[in-house]
């Protein structure tokens, strides 16, 4: 019997790279990290499913494929998130902006990003944007996530109308006390997100070896055990259990089998409405947060891995140029999702590939009926996960080296938050940065002229 032919050099190299990209750095930490983006993903997808009859099963299947492929391609916990601006427009515009308009907006946005990527223009844009402006966008997005998270924790939520209700009760299966306990648990386990989590030094207070006290050894061992717990996974699992307890009949109401996948028919009117109401506000956000901020944050968190803006913009384009035609929610990458997954332990592409595998199973087994269970999920628990993801993203802005850089960053963040538009904040940040550069050039020329006159 002939021996099987060895793989060609290119195929073998590619296969080895995929294996390395999907390899877990730490099993439980990667599982935990996979939960870090659910605070954003679940509320938006659930809201569109309830309000616009989004095909949840199709969305789960396609986003699962996106997760697995991006994990294999980049080798880091690259998130797959719904396009937030398009979702917000769909929920707030009633019947005038339905699923065809949502898909048209996603296709147009992704087409623009794809063209910017393949032509190399995205790389030029990335090099020209100053770091303080990028940090301002990240800071505003992180604080925005954190404020939304606090709203989820404090207020009752109606995702189908994207509105907050009255104050949340202290006690209950979705009470304020439950959310606070989950938040305290995550802080105790994760701290502020130390790099040494789960594997610190053996030193403790300068005492070591035979002279170390038994009590100190026990405390150090206890700290290691606590810091190794998959906090986000435990919190999410608790939310699933409470969702079933809140409405036990929900299990019987779910149907086995995938939802039918159909091609979405998009009329000329839907293309027009989707572009004007959806693409125009979404494109600047995707450009800044889904491509530029993601690449900058990935270089900060994973300096050993190169993630180009060209490849990221192309992958965002390809995802939606395929999935949106079949009714999958328009998706992109996001700095907040990357920060959240990193916060909870995600360090490899295996983290998001595992999340993708879970989505694929749920999409094929339960389909759109999963929305019945998600609708009972404690919103306060989702708020806690989103809160820590937002804080982790905002902390990326702590590396400003001068008062001038901090000024530009804070102004950009403030305008973005108050104006509810990253594009407006971005433009203001660029203008102020250029004005300060011009001011410094004028000042330097004045000083040089004075020195020559004195000489």
């Amino acid at each position: 019997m002939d021996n099987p032919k060895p793989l060609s050099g290119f195929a073998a190299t590619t296969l080895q790279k995929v294996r390395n990209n999907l390899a877990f750095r730490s099993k439980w930490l990667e599982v935990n990290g996979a939960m870090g983006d659910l605070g954003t993903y679940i509320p938006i997808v659930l809201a569109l499913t309830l309000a616009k009859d989004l095909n949840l099963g199709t969305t789960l299947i396609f986003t699962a494929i996106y997760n697995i492929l991006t994990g294999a391609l980049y080798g880091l916990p690259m998130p797959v998130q719904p396009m937030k601006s398009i979702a917000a427009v769909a929920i707030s515009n009633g019947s005038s902006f339905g699923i065809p308009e949502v898909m048209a907006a996603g296709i147009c946005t992704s087409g623009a990003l794809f063209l910017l990527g393949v032509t190399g223009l995205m790389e030029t844009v990335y090099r020209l944007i100053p770091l303080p402006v990028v940090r301002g966008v990240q800071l505003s997005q992180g604080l925005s996530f954190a404020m939304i998270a606090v709203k989820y924790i404090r207020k009752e939520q109606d995702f189908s109308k994207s509105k907050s209700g009255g104050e949340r009760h202290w006690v209950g299966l979705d009470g304020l006390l439950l959310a606070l306990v989950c938040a305290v648990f995550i802080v105790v386990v994760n701290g502020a997100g130390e790099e040494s989590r789960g594997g610190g030094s053996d030193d403790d207070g300068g005492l070591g070896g035979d002279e170390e006290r038994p009590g100190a050894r026990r405390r150090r061992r206890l700290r290691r055990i606590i810091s190794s717990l998959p906090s986000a996974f435990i919190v999410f699992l608790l939310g699933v259990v409470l969702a079933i307890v809140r409405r036990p009949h929900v299990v019987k109401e779910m149907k086995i089998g995938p939802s039918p996948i159909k091609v979405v028919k998009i009329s000329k009117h839907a293309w027009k409405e989707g572009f004007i109401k959806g693409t125009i506000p979404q494109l600047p956000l995707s450009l800044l947060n889904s491509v530029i901020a993601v690449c900058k944050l990935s270089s900060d968190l994973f300096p050993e891995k190169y993630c180009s803006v060209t490849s990221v913009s192309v992958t965002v384009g390809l995802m939606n140029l395929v999935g949106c035609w079949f009714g999958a929610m328009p998706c992109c990458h996001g700095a907040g999702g990357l920060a959240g997954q990193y916060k909870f332990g995600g360090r490899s592409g295996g983290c998001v590939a595992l999340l993708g595998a879970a989505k694929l199973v749920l999409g094929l087994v339960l389909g759109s009926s999963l929305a019945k269970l998600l609708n009972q999920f404690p919103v306060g628990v989702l708020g806690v996960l989103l809160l820590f993801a937002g804080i982790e993203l905002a902390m990326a802005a702590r590396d400003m080296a001068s008062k001038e850089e901090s000024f530009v960053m804070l102004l950009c963040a403030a305008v973005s938050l108050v104006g509810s538009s990253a594009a407006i904040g971005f433009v203001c940040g660029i203008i102020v940065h250029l004005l300060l550069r011009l001011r410094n050039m004028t000042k330097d020329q004045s000083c040089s002229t004075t020195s020559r006159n004195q000489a």
Side-chain angles (χ1 to χ4, degrees):
M1 185 175 179
D2 296 335
N3 292 327
K5 294 182 179 180
L7 294 171
S8 65
F10 174 76
T13 302
T14 302
L15 183 60
Q16 185 59 44
K17 181 180 178 181
V18 170
R19 286 177 177 173
N20 292 337
N21 285 346
L22 295 179
F24 284 181
R25 302 297 179 263
S26 173
K27 181 173 67 175
W28 280 113
L29 287 181
E30 300 287 4
V31 172
N32 197 49
M35 306 295 108
D37 192 29
L38 296 182
T40 303
Y41 182 86
I42 291 178
I44 295 176
V45 171
L46 180 59
L48 285 172
T49 302
L50 297 176
K52 296 293 176 179
D53 199 25
L54 175 75
N55 192 326
L56 178 59
T58 300
T59 296
L60 285 172
I61 291 172
F62 274 95
T63 54
I65 296 171
Y66 304 157
N67 277 131
I68 295 170
L69 291 179
T70 53
L73 177 63
Y74 294 111
L76 48 85
M78 181 69 74
V80 174
Q81 299 178 319
M83 289 188 175
K84 301 173 188 65
S85 184
I86 294 176
V89 171
I91 294 170
S92 61
N93 273 263
S95 59
S96 64
F97 201 92
I99 291 300
E101 287 78 11
V102 169
M103 300 307 151
I107 292 170
C108 291
T109 303
S110 299
L113 292 174
F114 181 79
L115 288 175
L116 287 171
V118 296
T119 57
L121 291 175
M122 188 67 78
E123 196 71 41
T124 303
V125 172
Y126 182 66
R127 288 197 301 267
L128 291 176
I129 297 176
L131 178 61
V133 176
V134 177
R135 291 298 191 225
V137 173
Q138 290 176 318
L139 178 60
S140 66
Q141 191 68 56
L143 293 177
S144 177
F145 281 172
M147 290 188 291
I148 292 172
V150 172
K151 183 173 67 175
Y152 284 176
I153 293 171
R154 292 186 58 237
K155 304 277 189 178
E156 299 284 347
Q157 300 297 316
D158 184 353
F159 286 138
S160 64
K161 297 180 181 178
S162 190
K163 292 182 179 180
S164 298
E167 295 287 337
R168 191 176 298 282
H169 295 296
W170 274 93
V171 181
L173 297 179
D174 191 13
L176 188 57
L177 186 61
L178 171 67
L180 294 177
V181 169
C182 291
V184 169
F185 173 68
I186 290 175
V187 171
V188 170
V189 173
N190 291 78
E194 294 87 356
E195 290 293 333
S196 60
R197 202 185 151 228
S201 171
D202 288 339
D203 296 334
D204 189 269
L207 294 173
D210 296 334
E211 298 180 3
E212 187 180 30
R213 297 177 182 177
R217 284 199 299 269
R218 284 195 297 270
R219 287 194 299 271
R220 193 178 70 247
R221 192 180 304 115
L222 179 62
R223 281 199 299 271
R224 277 205 297 265
I225 292 173
I226 292 175
S227 64
S228 65
L229 292 174
S231 58
F233 179 71
I234 292 173
V235 168
F236 180 74
L237 200 60
L238 173 64
V240 173
V241 172
L242 292 176
I244 296 174
V245 172
R246 292 179 73 187
R247 190 180 174 192
H249 295 294
V250 74
V251 178
K252 296 181 180 179
E253 294 173 358
M254 291 189 292
K255 299 177 181 179
I256 302 299
S259 304
I261 298 178
K262 301 177 182 178
V263 176
V264 177
K265 296 180 180 179
I266 306 175
S267 65
K268 290 183 179 180
H269 178 74
W271 283 111
K272 177 184 176 182
E273 290 293 298
F275 180 79
I276 295 174
K277 295 183 179 179
T279 299
I280 292 176
Q282 178 64 52
L283 186 57
L285 181 62
S286 293
L287 182 69
L288 296 172
N289 189 54
S290 303
V291 180
I292 294 173
V294 161
C295 291
K296 181 56 187 172
L297 185 62
S298 68
S299 67
D300 294 337
L301 301 178
F302 304 95
E304 74 282 0
K305 293 184 180 291
Y306 177 67
C307 181
S308 72
V309 291
T310 297
S311 64
V312 171
S313 59
V314 168
T315 56
V316 172
L318 290 176
M319 286 191 305
N320 298 292
L321 289 175
V322 176
C324 286
W325 288 105
F326 299 97
M329 174 65 200
C331 289
C332 58
H333 305 307
L338 177 58
Q341 286 168 160
Y342 183 87
K343 165 71 178 178
F344 290 113
R347 296 295 184 272
S348 73
C351 168
V352 288
L354 177 65
L355 178 61
K359 288 180 183 177
L360 187 61
V361 171
L362 291 172
L364 293 173
V365 174
L366 297 177
S368 294
S369 65
L370 182 64
K372 298 180 184 296
L373 177 63
L374 294 180
N375 198 30
Q376 301 301 318
F377 197 95
V379 178
V381 173
L382 289 177
V384 170
L385 295 175
L386 182 59
L387 174 64
F388 288 101
I391 291 173
E392 185 70 21
L393 176 58
M395 287 176 65
R398 68 186 185 276
D399 63 347
M400 294 292 93
S402 68
K403 185 175 181 179
E404 183 175 295
E405 290 181 343
S406 298
F407 177 78
V408 174
M409 175 196 70
L410 291 173
L411 185 140
C412 177
V415 175
S416 298
L417 284 173
V418 176
S420 299
S421 172
I424 297 175
F426 169 78
V427 171
C428 291
I430 290 290
I431 292 173
V432 171
H433 174 78
L434 293 175
L435 288 174
L436 290 175
R437 290 288 298 272
L438 182 62
R439 178 178 181 273
N440 291 336
M441 289 173 58
T442 305
K443 182 179 179 181
D444 291 341
Q445 291 176 356
S446 176
C447 291
S448 177
T449 302
T450 302
S451 298
R452 287 198 300 268
N453 291 337
Q454 289 177 350

mmCIF file of all heavy atoms in Angstrom, residues 244-269:
data_model
loop_
_atom_site.group_PDB
_atom_site.id
_atom_site.type_symbol
_atom_site.label_atom_id
_atom_site.label_comp_id
_atom_site.label_asym_id
_atom_site.label_seq_id
_atom_site.Cartn_x
_atom_site.Cartn_y
_atom_site.Cartn_z
ATOM 1 N N ILE A 244 -33.667 29.624 33.322
ATOM 2 C CA ILE A 244 -34.562 28.451 33.339
ATOM 3 C C ILE A 244 -35.441 28.463 34.584
ATOM 4 O O ILE A 244 -36.636 28.142 34.523
ATOM 5 C CB ILE A 244 -33.727 27.158 33.264
ATOM 6 C CG1 ILE A 244 -32.968 27.106 31.923
ATOM 7 C CG2 ILE A 244 -34.624 25.923 33.414
ATOM 8 C CD1 ILE A 244 -32.007 25.953 31.810
ATOM 9 N N VAL A 245 -34.855 28.865 35.724
ATOM 10 C CA VAL A 245 -35.629 28.915 36.974
ATOM 11 C C VAL A 245 -36.733 29.970 36.875
ATOM 12 O O VAL A 245 -37.849 29.764 37.373
ATOM 13 C CB VAL A 245 -34.691 29.212 38.166
ATOM 14 C CG1 VAL A 245 -35.495 29.456 39.441
ATOM 15 C CG2 VAL A 245 -33.724 28.051 38.372
ATOM 16 N N ARG A 246 -36.434 31.094 36.234
ATOM 17 C CA ARG A 246 -37.432 32.171 36.105
ATOM 18 C C ARG A 246 -38.649 31.704 35.316
ATOM 19 O O ARG A 246 -39.766 32.119 35.584
ATOM 20 C CB ARG A 246 -36.808 33.390 35.412
ATOM 21 C CG ARG A 246 -35.754 34.107 36.233
ATOM 22 C CD ARG A 246 -35.168 35.269 35.459
ATOM 23 N NE ARG A 246 -36.096 36.393 35.364
ATOM 24 C CZ ARG A 246 -35.871 37.474 34.627
ATOM 25 N NH1 ARG A 246 -34.770 37.546 33.883
ATOM 26 N NH2 ARG A 246 -36.742 38.457 34.604
ATOM 27 N N ARG A 247 -38.436 30.850 34.326
ATOM 28 C CA ARG A 247 -39.553 30.352 33.525
ATOM 29 C C ARG A 247 -39.256 28.914 33.100
ATOM 30 O O ARG A 247 -38.736 28.666 32.009
ATOM 31 C CB ARG A 247 -39.753 31.232 32.288
ATOM 32 C CG ARG A 247 -41.050 30.923 31.545
ATOM 33 C CD ARG A 247 -41.185 31.837 30.337
ATOM 34 N NE ARG A 247 -42.330 31.474 29.537
ATOM 35 C CZ ARG A 247 -42.566 31.950 28.309
ATOM 36 N NH1 ARG A 247 -41.710 32.809 27.777
ATOM 37 N NH2 ARG A 247 -43.626 31.578 27.640
ATOM 38 N N PRO A 248 -39.564 27.952 33.951
ATOM 39 C CA PRO A 248 -39.219 26.549 33.673
ATOM 40 C C PRO A 248 -39.803 26.018 32.369
ATOM 41 O O PRO A 248 -39.201 25.164 31.716
ATOM 42 C CB PRO A 248 -39.793 25.799 34.886
ATOM 43 C CG PRO A 248 -39.890 26.834 35.959
ATOM 44 C CD PRO A 248 -40.200 28.108 35.265
ATOM 45 N N HIS A 249 -40.979 26.515 31.959
ATOM 46 C CA HIS A 249 -41.616 26.010 30.742
ATOM 47 C C HIS A 249 -40.874 26.420 29.477
ATOM 48 O O HIS A 249 -41.203 25.916 28.392
ATOM 49 C CB HIS A 249 -43.063 26.521 30.660
ATOM 50 C CG HIS A 249 -43.945 25.988 31.751
ATOM 51 N ND1 HIS A 249 -44.261 24.650 31.841
ATOM 52 C CD2 HIS A 249 -44.554 26.595 32.801
ATOM 53 C CE1 HIS A 249 -45.058 24.464 32.892
ATOM 54 N NE2 HIS A 249 -45.236 25.635 33.497
ATOM 55 N N VAL A 250 -39.888 27.318 29.595
ATOM 56 C CA VAL A 250 -39.182 27.789 28.414
ATOM 57 C C VAL A 250 -38.437 26.654 27.722
ATOM 58 O O VAL A 250 -38.266 26.655 26.495
ATOM 59 C CB VAL A 250 -38.201 28.935 28.789
ATOM 60 C CG1 VAL A 250 -36.991 28.402 29.525
ATOM 61 C CG2 VAL A 250 -37.761 29.689 27.534
ATOM 62 N N VAL A 251 -38.007 25.654 28.492
ATOM 63 C CA VAL A 251 -37.289 24.519 27.911
ATOM 64 C C VAL A 251 -38.212 23.733 26.971
ATOM 65 O O VAL A 251 -37.812 23.307 25.881
ATOM 66 C CB VAL A 251 -36.735 23.604 29.022
ATOM 67 C CG1 VAL A 251 -36.034 22.394 28.419
ATOM 68 C CG2 VAL A 251 -35.766 24.379 29.914
ATOM 69 N N LYS A 252 -39.475 23.532 27.377
ATOM 70 C CA LYS A 252 -40.432 22.799 26.544
ATOM 71 C C LYS A 252 -40.845 23.599 25.310
ATOM 72 O O LYS A 252 -41.216 23.022 24.286
ATOM 73 C CB LYS A 252 -41.668 22.454 27.365
ATOM 74 C CG LYS A 252 -41.396 21.508 28.538
ATOM 75 C CD LYS A 252 -42.682 21.195 29.292
ATOM 76 C CE LYS A 252 -42.414 20.254 30.457
ATOM 77 N NZ LYS A 252 -43.655 19.953 31.218
ATOM 78 N N GLU A 253 -40.781 24.941 25.405
ATOM 79 C CA GLU A 253 -41.201 25.783 24.287
ATOM 80 C C GLU A 253 -40.176 25.842 23.163
ATOM 81 O O GLU A 253 -40.510 26.195 22.033
ATOM 82 C CB GLU A 253 -41.483 27.209 24.791
ATOM 83 C CG GLU A 253 -42.674 27.297 25.740
ATOM 84 C CD GLU A 253 -42.821 28.679 26.338
ATOM 85 O OE1 GLU A 253 -41.965 29.547 26.027
ATOM 86 O OE2 GLU A 253 -43.763 28.906 27.113
ATOM 87 N N MET A 254 -38.928 25.495 23.476
ATOM 88 C CA MET A 254 -37.881 25.538 22.450
ATOM 89 C C MET A 254 -38.000 24.332 21.524
ATOM 90 O O MET A 254 -38.279 23.219 21.957
ATOM 91 C CB MET A 254 -36.495 25.583 23.106
ATOM 92 C CG MET A 254 -36.223 26.905 23.811
ATOM 93 S SD MET A 254 -34.517 27.100 24.364
ATOM 94 C CE MET A 254 -34.432 25.871 25.656
ATOM 95 N N LYS A 255 -37.776 24.572 20.226
ATOM 96 C CA LYS A 255 -37.894 23.527 19.219
ATOM 97 C C LYS A 255 -36.512 23.037 18.795
ATOM 98 O O LYS A 255 -35.570 23.829 18.684
ATOM 99 C CB LYS A 255 -38.661 24.051 18.004
ATOM 100 C CG LYS A 255 -40.084 24.497 18.314
ATOM 101 C CD LYS A 255 -40.760 25.072 17.075
ATOM 102 C CE LYS A 255 -42.174 25.544 17.402
ATOM 103 N NZ LYS A 255 -42.846 26.134 16.207
ATOM 104 N N ILE A 256 -36.424 21.756 18.528
ATOM 105 C CA ILE A 256 -35.166 21.164 18.098
ATOM 106 C C ILE A 256 -35.038 21.305 16.581
ATOM 107 O O ILE A 256 -35.973 21.043 15.833
ATOM 108 C CB ILE A 256 -35.086 19.672 18.492
ATOM 109 C CG1 ILE A 256 -35.234 19.514 20.011
ATOM 110 C CG2 ILE A 256 -33.771 19.066 18.014
ATOM 111 C CD1 ILE A 256 -34.151 20.204 20.802
ATOM 112 N N GLY A 257 -33.869 21.723 16.138
ATOM 113 C CA GLY A 257 -33.609 21.844 14.705
ATOM 114 C C GLY A 257 -33.265 23.253 14.297
ATOM 115 O O GLY A 257 -33.692 24.217 14.948
ATOM 116 N N PRO A 258 -32.491 23.407 13.230
ATOM 117 C CA PRO A 258 -32.088 24.748 12.784
ATOM 118 C C PRO A 258 -33.236 25.501 12.142
ATOM 119 O O PRO A 258 -34.203 24.912 11.645
ATOM 120 C CB PRO A 258 -30.986 24.449 11.759
ATOM 121 C CG PRO A 258 -31.336 23.097 11.218
ATOM 122 C CD PRO A 258 -31.946 22.342 12.374
ATOM 123 N N SER A 259 -33.132 26.813 12.149
ATOM 124 C CA SER A 259 -34.114 27.653 11.460
ATOM 125 C C SER A 259 -33.838 27.612 9.960
ATOM 126 O O SER A 259 -32.683 27.482 9.534
ATOM 127 C CB SER A 259 -34.026 29.093 11.961
ATOM 128 O OG SER A 259 -34.184 29.149 13.363
ATOM 129 N N PRO A 260 -34.868 27.726 9.131
ATOM 130 C CA PRO A 260 -34.639 27.732 7.674
ATOM 131 C C PRO A 260 -33.851 28.965 7.247
ATOM 132 O O PRO A 260 -34.092 30.067 7.732
ATOM 133 C CB PRO A 260 -36.054 27.745 7.092
ATOM 134 C CG PRO A 260 -36.928 28.277 8.196
ATOM 135 C CD PRO A 260 -36.302 27.833 9.467
ATOM 136 N N ILE A 261 -32.884 28.755 6.364
ATOM 137 C CA ILE A 261 -32.061 29.854 5.850
ATOM 138 C C ILE A 261 -32.599 30.262 4.486
ATOM 139 O O ILE A 261 -32.699 29.442 3.571
ATOM 140 C CB ILE A 261 -30.580 29.439 5.749
ATOM 141 C CG1 ILE A 261 -30.036 29.089 7.145
ATOM 142 C CG2 ILE A 261 -29.746 30.553 5.123
ATOM 143 C CD1 ILE A 261 -28.591 28.631 7.138
ATOM 144 N N LYS A 262 -32.959 31.526 4.356
ATOM 145 C CA LYS A 262 -33.534 32.031 3.118
ATOM 146 C C LYS A 262 -32.754 33.263 2.639
ATOM 147 O O LYS A 262 -32.180 34.001 3.455
ATOM 148 C CB LYS A 262 -35.008 32.414 3.324
ATOM 149 C CG LYS A 262 -35.892 31.257 3.791
ATOM 150 C CD LYS A 262 -37.317 31.744 4.033
ATOM 151 C CE LYS A 262 -38.204 30.611 4.545
ATOM 152 N NZ LYS A 262 -39.590 31.102 4.820
ATOM 153 N N VAL A 263 -32.768 33.477 1.349
ATOM 154 C CA VAL A 263 -32.144 34.665 0.776
ATOM 155 C C VAL A 263 -33.069 35.862 1.005
ATOM 156 O O VAL A 263 -34.275 35.785 0.756
ATOM 157 C CB VAL A 263 -31.884 34.487 -0.732
ATOM 158 C CG1 VAL A 263 -31.318 35.778 -1.332
ATOM 159 C CG2 VAL A 263 -30.924 33.331 -0.968
ATOM 160 N N VAL A 264 -32.511 36.952 1.537
ATOM 161 C CA VAL A 264 -33.287 38.155 1.814
ATOM 162 C C VAL A 264 -33.481 38.943 0.520
ATOM 163 O O VAL A 264 -32.517 39.219 -0.201
ATOM 164 C CB VAL A 264 -32.586 39.031 2.867
ATOM 165 C CG1 VAL A 264 -33.372 40.313 3.102
ATOM 166 C CG2 VAL A 264 -32.422 38.271 4.174
ATOM 167 N N LYS A 265 -34.708 39.287 0.231
ATOM 168 C CA LYS A 265 -35.008 40.097 -0.945
ATOM 169 C C LYS A 265 -34.911 41.578 -0.568
ATOM 170 O O LYS A 265 -35.622 42.044 0.315
ATOM 171 C CB LYS A 265 -36.402 39.771 -1.479
ATOM 172 C CG LYS A 265 -36.543 38.334 -1.972
ATOM 173 C CD LYS A 265 -37.951 38.068 -2.483
ATOM 174 C CE LYS A 265 -38.090 36.620 -2.976
ATOM 175 N NZ LYS A 265 -39.469 36.335 -3.458
ATOM 176 N N ILE A 266 -34.032 42.295 -1.261
ATOM 177 C CA ILE A 266 -33.778 43.702 -0.945
ATOM 178 C C ILE A 266 -34.247 44.560 -2.117
ATOM 179 O O ILE A 266 -33.709 44.466 -3.225
ATOM 180 C CB ILE A 266 -32.281 43.950 -0.662
ATOM 181 C CG1 ILE A 266 -31.784 42.996 0.432
ATOM 182 C CG2 ILE A 266 -32.042 45.389 -0.257
ATOM 183 C CD1 ILE A 266 -30.296 43.089 0.701
ATOM 184 N N SER A 267 -35.239 45.383 -1.887
ATOM 185 C CA SER A 267 -35.789 46.251 -2.934
ATOM 186 C C SER A 267 -34.916 47.495 -3.106
ATOM 187 O O SER A 267 -34.019 47.777 -2.292
ATOM 188 C CB SER A 267 -37.215 46.663 -2.570
ATOM 189 O OG SER A 267 -37.215 47.463 -1.387
ATOM 190 N N LYS A 268 -35.202 48.263 -4.169
ATOM 191 C CA LYS A 268 -34.479 49.517 -4.392
ATOM 192 C C LYS A 268 -34.691 50.489 -3.232
ATOM 193 O O LYS A 268 -33.767 51.181 -2.804
ATOM 194 C CB LYS A 268 -34.941 50.162 -5.699
ATOM 195 C CG LYS A 268 -34.512 49.413 -6.954
ATOM 196 C CD LYS A 268 -34.960 50.156 -8.201
ATOM 197 C CE LYS A 268 -34.512 49.428 -9.467
ATOM 198 N NZ LYS A 268 -34.946 50.143 -10.704
ATOM 199 N N HIS A 269 -35.910 50.515 -2.720
ATOM 200 C CA HIS A 269 -36.212 51.389 -1.584
ATOM 201 C C HIS A 269 -35.411 50.958 -0.354
ATOM 202 O O HIS A 269 -34.906 51.808 0.391
ATOM 203 C CB HIS A 269 -37.707 51.346 -1.278
ATOM 204 C CG HIS A 269 -38.103 52.179 -0.085
ATOM 205 N ND1 HIS A 269 -38.153 53.553 -0.123
ATOM 206 C CD2 HIS A 269 -38.454 51.818 1.196
ATOM 207 C CE1 HIS A 269 -38.514 54.015 1.069
ATOM 208 N NE2 HIS A 269 -38.705 52.982 1.877
#
